[in-house]
Structure formats: C-alpha cells, structure tokens
Amino acid sequence: MEHESKQILENSGIKTTGSMVASSEDEAIEMSTNLGYPVVLKIVSPDVVHKTDSGGVKLNLTNEADVRKAYQDILSRFKTERIIGISVQKMAFPGLEAIIGVTRDASFGPVLMFGLGGIFAEVLKDVTFRVLPISEDSLDEMIEEIKGYSLLKGYRGQSIDISALKGLLIKVSNLAIMYPEIAELELNPVILYPSGYLAVDARMFVDFAPSKSALEVPKKKETLFQLFYPQSIAVLGATDSKGKLGYNVMWNLISHQFPGKLYPVNSHKETVLGLKAYKSILDVEDPVDAAIIIVPAGAAPKAIEDCCEKGVKFLVVESAGFAETGEAGRKIQSDIKELIIRKGCRLLGPNCSGIINTHHNMVQSIGVIDQLRKGNIGLIAQAGVYAAGILTGLRNVLDFGIIATIGNKMDVSEADILEFMGQDQNIEVIALYMEDVTSGQRFVDVAGQVSQKKPVIVLKAGRTEAGKKAVSSHTASMAGSDEINSAAFRQSGVIRARDNEHLFSLLRAFSKQPLPKGPGVLVVTYTGSLGVAATDMLYTSNLRLSELESYLKKRIASCLDDYLNIQNPVDCSFSMNPEQVKKIIEIGVQSKDVHSLIVIVQGEMLDSYVDTLTGINYMGKPVLCCVACKEFMMEHVIRMEQKGIPVYSTPEMAAEVLGEMHRYSLQHHKIRIKSLDRFLEDNSFTIANRKVRLRLLTQRDMDLWMEFVNSCSPRSLWLRFLSPFSATPEIAQRFCNINPDEEVAVAAEITEEGRKKLIAIARLITCQPRDEVEYAVIVTDSWQQQKLGRMLSKACLNLAKHLDVRVVNAETIQENFPIVRVLNHFHFKIESKERNMILMSLELK
Ligand code: ADP
Ligand code: MG
C-alpha cells in the first residue's frame, strides 16, 4: 500500500510526501498540525487500488475543520472495504507530474518506465522503457525521447531539475535490481520541480517466488570457435538411405567439401556415402570437435552421453521431437540439459537445422542445399525452414558467411552466436530472425557490444499486443511486451526491421555498400515523379538532397539537354542513357556535399546499365539503384546485385534504407566520440596549477572556437594556417563539424571564472594510406611558452597510438620555431625541406 511503499522509497533516499497513517480523527488533526497545512488525506485500504476514482483522496485541506470533514467523508464512502486507516501527508506544490515504474519482463528481466503522468500517461501513452541496469547515456536518451520532453525543458518558463530526475531514476532502478522480489513498482505521480521532485503516490507488488532467470545455470565464458570451424565432425544417425535427414546432412557436408574429417556413426552400416561408418562414436580413435545428432528424440540422450564420453565439446542436435511437441519431449529435453551441464559441453538446438559456414565449406542443413557463394552476412534464425527458405530464394542477391539455426535453444542462445559473429572477421553484417528472446539481459549486453562494431538487424515476430494480460499497474499494462522488445533493441543499438522485405532490403545495402559519411544525397533519375518520391522519403529519413558546388552544377548541365533545368534530383528525362548517367555520377561524387547516391533507371533498359553503373568509382560513397517494377527484370537485377549494387523497386525503399545506414553511421560516430573523449579525459594534465581538460572539438563548440581564433594573434594564425585567417560562422562550421572517422580535433580547455575557454587545438587528420595522419597544433598567444604545445602533443601522440596510427606527419613553416621544437622533442625526423616549408614525420611503434 501507498504508505508502506513510500516508507521503502524513503529508506532508499527517494523523497515522498510521507507515509503517516492516522486511526482517528484526532490523530489526523495532530499529524496535520505537526506537518503544517495544507495537507492531503487518503484512504488506506488493501481493497482500494485507485483511490481517487472512489473518492478516497482529499487534496488541499487548509485547516482543522477541512481535515475533520475530509476524514468523515472518506470513512462514509468505504463501508465494505477493509480500512487500515487514513493517510495524512503534506500537500505538494503543483509541478509537472511524471510517472516512473518498474516491471519485470519474462525475457529481459527488470524494465524501467518513464513518462509524463496524468493524462499524458493514460491517454497519450507518452512513456518510454529501458532494460535495467541502465547506463548514463541511456538515461539521457530516455528523458529526451518522450514527446513531452519540451515540457521538461520549458515548464512554466523554467526547466525542471533534470539532474534530480536522473538521480531519482537511478535510485528506482537500483531498488529494483537489489530486490528481485519487487515485481512491480510505480511512482504515479512524481511531481517534478525546477529544483528537486516529490513522489506523492507509490505502489509496489511483491513476489517472493524466485524469478525464472535465477534458476538458469551461469554460462561459462568460452569461445564457440570449434562449433563454427570444427576440424572434425561425427554425424550420429548418418545414413545412405536417400530422403532421410541423416542422408541429407551427410550429402551436404560431402558435396560442399567440408575440409575436416567426417565420421558417420550408424550401427547398421559399414560405410555411408563412401566413408567408413562407425558403430558408435566411441569407436572413433581420433578426437572429434563437433557432433551432429540426427537420431530419433528417444535415442538422443544415449547418443549425447556417448559424445560426452568421447570428449566432444560441441553438439548440434538436429532431431525434432523435444520440448516443441509436448510433455514427453519436454522431459527428454530437460534430461539432456542436465546431462550437458554435468558434462560441460555446449549444445545447439535441438530441433534445428545446424550451421552453414561458407568460409569453412560446412553445410550441416537437414534439407539438401546446392551451391553457395561466400559472403559477409551472418544470419541467426530460430527455425531451420525459415533459413532454408531465405537461402533458396535469396542466395542470388545475398551472400551469407554463416547461417546458424538455433531451434529450441536449450543451451546455445541467439546472444551466444551473436557474440561469436561479432568477433568473426568473415562476418560484417548480422541479421537475426527471432520469435522470442530467451537470453534477455545478456542479449542486450552482447548486442550493445557487437552493434558498435558491425550492424545488427533484427526481425522480431510477434509485434502485436495480442495476449496482453490484465495487470494492475500502468507500467505493466503499458509494457505490452513488444514495447519492451523495441526498447531493448534501441538500447543495444540494434536496427529493427519491420518485416521480411524490409530486413532483406536493409541486408542487401549494409552487406554490399559502405556507410554514408553524411546526410547529403544525389538523386539521378529519368522521371521527375520518382525523383520527388525519393526526395520526400529522404527528408522523412533525416537525409536531404545534396547542394552541389556551382562549378560541378555547370559541368553536370553540360551532360543534359539544355532545356533541362539542372538541380538535384538530376532529371535526365526519358532519353537518359548509361554513358550520360556515368558522366553525371563521376562529376557528382566529387562534391563535398554528396555523401551517397540513388540512381533511378528505366526497367526495360536495366540490362544496358549494369556494366556501366557497376564500373564507376564512387569514391567510397554508397550507391543504391531503383528500378520500378524490378520483379519483371530479375535477370538483370540479379546481375547488378551480384556486382554489388542493391536494386529496389521503389525510390521510397531506397531512400529509407539509406536513412537507416546514415542513422547507424551517426550512432557509430557518437560511440566513437564518447570513447575518444574518455581516452582524452585520462590524458588531461595540469599546467601552472591550472587543470587543462582535453576533449574532442565538436559542432557544439562553434562559439568557443570563434572566441579561440579571436584570442590568437594574426602571426600565430598565419604560422598555423599559412594564410590570413579569420573566424566566420561558415569557417567555424567547417572546422568544428568533424567526421570522427576522418579527423580528430583535440581541444585543450580551461575554466576561467566559471566560463569554459579553449587555449589550444590540435588536429589529427587521416590521410592515404589510412594508417597515416597529418598533425597540426595551435596554442593561443597568452598560453605560449608554458609547455602546453608539448603536453598537448604528447597526449595526441598517445591518442594516435591508441588509434593504431603508424605514421604521424607534420608540415610547417621553418620559422614556426615552437612547433619545430616540440616535434624535435618527440623525435620527429625531417622528411623534406622545400623553400621555407619543412615536413617532419614520426613512425609509431
Ligand atoms: P490514485 O492514483 O490512487 O488515484 P494518488 O495518490 O495518485 O491516488 O492521488 C491522485 C492525484 O492527486 C495525484 O495524481 C496528484 O495529482 C494528487 N495528489 C495526491 N497526493 C498529493 C499530495 N500529497 N500533494 C499534492 N497532490 C497530490
Ligand atoms: Mg496515483
């Protein structure tokens, strides 16, 4: 009940309006006098959940008479309910009402909800979720993500106390993590103020039954390498009777030329498909890395026991007839589980279709699979049939590296495989098709790690809210489990596909094309209307049309019939031809504002475009092709796809996919910037008792940057830039808006009278080859000759090492003595001197 919940909250340092309960009118008066008016009276009864609805809340009581009347009135309304007493609490000042809750999700465990309270929560459902524990970044995102964020920022002309709110969210999260018996917790409302907050109502449900995950056996941290790259495989249940699954598995392994040893095990055969067969796996003399089990379910426990005895570490159980079939199967499955936990081996399946690893010529599928090309996509699918379907249908346009089917995932889960694929160099994009997430919290952790390195795209079935159980708290009712799925995916940086078509569209682009380095898109089309459709979707996807430099525009105009008006989308009209498109693209990719391209071509002429379009140097910028009604030109579409350019049937889909790539790339940058900032923070130093903080220069620093430039003397600027230099907003934009993959600008910052100020800036600019950087540094005049240049350079050289840079080059004018001295100090060698320029370089170990 409210007063008990508030007591627990108070004990955890959360501020509430109090938890006193009066059992008589006089006691209520005494409490009110002690608290000070105005006060609030509320019914306290285990039978009343929604107190206001039944008249159990009396607000703003300003004197003794009010309290007496309210007390009597409440009592008169609750004749049949059990009454514990009447709660007396301080009346909180008005503020912004929010709701904070915790519920427990079957797969992800404790989940935190935050949103605006009152009708915002009930009618507009303006709430957001995160799986716990939650990082500082996730907290910020959570607060910024709700639609009512603008109210938080500007409530009655004042911003609410965001840091107090964050502190509160952390306290609530910690409470839920520390006490697993708290099944649900809800503060509704919490009143947020420009300074601080107050929880005026609280509710908690406690459940002492241990949660399901507490019974799970903790996973050992070991690599699954031998499961995906075994040197020897035994197949229990191998046969040469055509049509049987044990035949198909053997046939697949042999015909795809599995490079390791194969041991068919079958007690009735001497040979299987020309290979010596063994009566039992125990008869195999050499060690066996992995075993595929395809015997009937009833015989599986014995087969698995033999494998364990043989010392096989990885088992792939492809037989069906386990937990998916009913009680008897469930029993066998749990026996097997106990067995493998005892023996310490890992098991994929049961009821799966094994693994395909094209980089290891290994096909374990139960369906016959013919030729496959090697590729960079990793696919994790629950159902073997789904994976097989994709493979048959899509192998013309998608190239897979590893396909893993997980079936009933009794042991090895989607998170385990995701973790492995994250480390496998052959895999560059990962797709997951899942019906349920059983690895919950671990999935969030692993996906969060992996998605920093490569894109992870998830298609999760069961988006609808069907089957939602009736629950008593808003938190639980608003947490239709799909909301929690979405939150968990967002939190871990995973891209969520809405359906199969969307998944394949994303996969084709992510696996074949580089990521865009900015939002500008050049669209080349043969018809204005498809260009408009692309444009609309670009802007909805947070992209925009590129603004080409005027000299490039002129050159493009010369490729067009002169009546056509040159702009982006470049409309070549129906007379468009491959050579013309090639010329336009080659001019367009030179623009600084073109970060990616969409080319819309006529379906009936697609054939003539394939070689031209796939032969162009796009300078590392992604290109997607759109052919309306491509379904009818599949032969040419396939040729184009196989040569690396994805083809979409609508410009909207092409634009949307580009938008997703851009979003991923931004997210990637954000993470990179964070990690570089952490590194720089550790390399910060003190000069003359002043703390000099190092951090990345970002777009938000434009004002500080302008101030910095203005603080430098013309001579200092000239020595650094070798030309007169002044700070205009355009130049500030160019110098501060930095792509962290191409360039790192390190700002040295001090705080002076409470204001931040930049005193030096150094840059590491990536050049060709990509493990070389160009180094430059400038120190403001008042800070020169205090070893700031040297300290900053030392930190930058550390950073370069951290980034695996091999060579640091620095070019300067010979009379820039301070810089030359710094470079000498770090043993830069002179590469060349030309007129008054000097080029020095340092090889890092
Ligand atoms: P319930 O949710 O059970 O109906 P609450 O305790 O949340 O009851 O009270 C209903 C509403 O009354 C709250 O949403 C809040 O607006 C207001 N309220 C409740 N307690 C206080 C209080 N101590 N100070 C100010 N307003 C309050
Ligand atoms: Mg309430």
Side-chain angles (χ1 to χ4, degrees), residues 2 17 40 42 49-53 57 59 89-92 97 188-189 191 200-201 203:
E2 178 181 333
T17 44
V40 173
K42 294 184 194 175
V49 181
H50 299 292
K51 302 178 290 285
T52 317
D53 297 352
V57 176
L59 299 172
Q89 53 191 263
K90 263 192 112 52
M91 172 81 193
E97 294 197 0
N188 182 25
I191 306 187
V200 306
D201 185 22
R203 190 174 299 160

Side-chain angles (χ1 to χ4, degrees), residues 240-310:
D240 45 13
S241 322
K242 263 198 175 162
K244 288 204 164 175
L245 302 183
Y247 171 89
N248 291 354
V249 172
M250 278 312 287
W251 190 91
N252 279 331
L253 285 166
I254 294 171
S255 69
H256 287 269
Q257 297 171 347
F258 174 67
K261 292 233 170 71
L262 286 176
Y263 302 107
V265 176
N266 183 324
S267 54
H268 309 295
K269 305 267 179 184
E270 290 300 317
T271 62
V272 168
L273 291 168
L275 293 174
K276 174 178 162 38
Y278 295 79
K279 297 259 172 290
S280 154
I281 186 166
L282 295 167
D283 298 338
V284 178
E285 277 153 21
D286 292 329
V288 176
D289 288 345
I292 298 174
I293 290 156
I294 186 103
V295 299
K302 172 78 176 80
I304 292 170
E305 196 147 9
D306 286 353
C307 291
C308 293
E309 201 178 326
K310 171 74 190 151

